[in-house]
């Protein structure tokens, strides 16, 4: 057995036994540990204090993962079960939360906490995060809290995450990252609350390994210092959604998603989707894309229209991207925008632009992450259901076409 894994197992088994005996975990004993790690990240959580007190993490992954009702969530290194119990509440009766831990004592503690909290849609399984004991494409979200940094085989962890995630599934975790300046000698000398973190990755290495595992849209954000040259970080990534060229066979599903978006009141001044003939005539045929779920069902689409027939504007288009409300949060929007950008740039188009209602925060954030910028607000530009509304103008200028 790996000696590093033995050290981690022994350390957290001892902490669990202490917690089962009604004592503190005994781990957060260093200077300012309680200000940087553990329950400090769960202020206001409505669970018994003995549950939150067993948190040993560097953040709150539930603030990262944006869980939705009905989803299946996997927590790697679930420990005392805090994040699993909170996830179970977020996903609701139709969803499921699974905790994975290699320590028998932690599993006993977590199951006790679930019973005390009255949570029935949570389960805890024994196993290592390098060999996740779940079927392929079986979970929507993977979370973890300051655990992957402890693994002796991080490529295996990331490969396992990519395997168990469904297409469009997402990773939303907190973890410990090392500064690029951390030396080998300093790694060997890690002590206190971070004594097992000599193998913490740098942000660049973390990003590379996630991409090599097949995950996309990788985002890493450092949050706070947890030790000398060690930082807590928020890490997000997505398992790619299949994006293909749209055909007339997709028409019915495309128009249904279009109408569902209009029904939200936040997608367009339009209130009714056009018929296919009208829709087809208005959009450029070369840049029509659909995102598909594993069953081949359309879960989103993107298309563009020309803004003008004048030659000077031949490289400028206006785009639309719609995602089925039931599929939101699965990465379809990001995948569609990425494919649309590639498609338009390959055709010599240098600007993609559109307008978004200010209240549509999700669309604005989606476009920001895809490289769009907000260039201004057109105030009271049109009426929607009898109400004058503003529009935020957004655009993305190509970094390789028209420069």
């Amino acid at each position: 057995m790996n000696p590093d894994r033995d050290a981690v197992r022994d350390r957290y088994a001892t902490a669990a036994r202490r917690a089962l005996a009604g004592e503190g975990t005994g781990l957060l004993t260093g200077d300012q540990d309680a200000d940087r790690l553990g329950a400090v990240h769960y202020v206001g959580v409505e669970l018994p204090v003995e549950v939150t007190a067993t948190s040993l993490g560097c953040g709150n992954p539930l603030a990262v993962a944006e869980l939705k009702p009905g989803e299946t969530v996997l927590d790697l290194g679930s420990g005392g079960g805090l994040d699993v119990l909170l996830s179970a509440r977020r996903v609701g009766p139709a969803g499921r939360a699974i905790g994975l831990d290699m320590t028998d004592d932690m599993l006993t503690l977590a199951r006790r906490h679930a019973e005390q909290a009255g949570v029935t849609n949570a389960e805890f399984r024994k196993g290592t995060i390098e060999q996740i004991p779940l079927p392929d494409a079986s979970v929507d979200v993977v979370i973890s809290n300051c655990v992957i940094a402890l693994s002796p085989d991080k490529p295996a962890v990331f490969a396992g995450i990519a395997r168990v995630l469904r297409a469009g599934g997402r990773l939303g975790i907190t973890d410990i990252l090392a500064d690029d300046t951390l030396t080998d000698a300093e790694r060997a000398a890690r002590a206190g609350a971070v004594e097992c973190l000599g193998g913490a990755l740098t942000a660049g290495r973390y990003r590379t390994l996630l991409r090599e595992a097949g995950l996309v849209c990788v985002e890493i954000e450092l949050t706070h210092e947890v030790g000398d040259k060690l930082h807590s970080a928020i890490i997000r990534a997505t398992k790619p959604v299949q994006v293909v060229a749209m055909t007339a066979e997709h028409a019915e599903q495309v128009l249904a998603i279009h109408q569902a978006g209009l029904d939200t009141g936040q997608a367009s001044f339009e209130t009714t989707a056009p018929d296919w003939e009208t829709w087809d005539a208005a959009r450029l045929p070369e840049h029509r894309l659909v995102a598909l779920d594993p069953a081949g069902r359309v879960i989103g689409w993107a298309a563009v229209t020309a803004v003008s027939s004048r030659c000077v504007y031949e490289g400028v288009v206006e785009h639309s991207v719609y995602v089925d409300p039931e599929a939101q949060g699965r990465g379809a929007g990001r995948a569609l925008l990425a494919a649309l950008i590639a498609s338009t740039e390959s055709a010599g188009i240098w600007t993609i632009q559109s307008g978004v209602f200010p209240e549509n925060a999700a669309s604005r954030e989606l476009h920001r992450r895809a490289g769009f910028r907000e260039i201004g607000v057109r105030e009271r530009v049109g009426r929607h259901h009898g109400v004058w509304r503003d529009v935020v103008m957004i655009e993305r200028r190509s970094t390789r076409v028209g420069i």
Side-chain angles (χ1 to χ4, degrees), residues 252-299:
E252 183 177 353
Q253 296 176 79
V254 166
L255 294 180
I257 292 172
H258 194 164
Q259 186 61 56
L262 297 180
D263 289 344
T264 68
Q266 299 300 336
S268 171
F269 282 106
E270 297 177 307
T271 57
T272 303
D275 58 35
W276 179 250
E277 183 178 0
T278 303
W279 192 100
D280 181 51
R283 288 159 178 85
L284 300 181
E286 315 93 85
H287 310 294
R288 303 177 183 183
L289 303 163
V290 289
L292 305 178
D293 69 9
R297 184 178 67 92
V298 177
I299 58 173

Side-chain angles (χ1 to χ4, degrees), residues 318 353-358 364 372-379 381 390-395:
E318 183 174 349
Q353 65 184 37
S354 191
V356 181
F357 287 140
R364 294 172 68 179
F372 285 75
R373 66 186 182 113
E374 297 183 352
I375 58 175
V377 178
R378 298 186 68 186
E379 298 180 350
V381 69
D390 299 344
V391 169
V392 178
M393 305 306 298
I394 61 173
E395 73 169 18

Side-chain angles (χ1 to χ4, degrees), residues 58-65 144 171-177 203 206-207 210 218-224 231-237 369:
C58 58
N60 181 350
L62 272 73
V64 179
S144 185
L171 173 72
I173 66 174
T174 54
D175 205 6
I176 301 288
L177 269 62
Y206 217 111
R207 185 177 288 106
L210 286 173
V218 177
E219 298 179 5
I220 297 177
E221 176 188 352
L222 301 183
T223 56
H224 60 278
H231 295 268
S232 175
I234 291 170
I235 297 109
R236 297 182 178 93
R369 291 182 179 181

Side-chain angles (χ1 to χ4, degrees), residues 198-220:
L201 300 173
T202 63
R205 184 60 177 157
Y206 217 111
R207 185 177 288 106
T208 296
L209 290 179
L210 286 173
R211 289 173 174 166
E212 288 178 350
L215 300 177
V216 297
C217 301
V218 177
E219 298 179 5
I220 297 177

Side-chain angles (χ1 to χ4, degrees), residues 38-40 42-43 45-56 82 86 113:
V40 66
Y42 295 88
V43 175
V45 168
E46 295 182 2
L47 281 174
V49 65
E50 58 266 28
V51 179
T52 56
T54 60
S55 172
L56 303 169
L82 172 59
L86 293 174
H113 286 160

Side-chain angles (χ1 to χ4, degrees), residues 40 45 51 70 83-85 91 98 106 117 142 151 158 176 185 192 208 232 235 254 308 356 359 362:
V40 66
V45 168
V51 179
D83 292 323
V84 175
L85 302 185
V91 300
I98 304 167
M106 277 296 183
V142 172
S151 170
F158 298 141
I176 301 288
T208 296
S232 175
I235 297 109
V254 166
S308 173
V356 181
E359 297 83 0

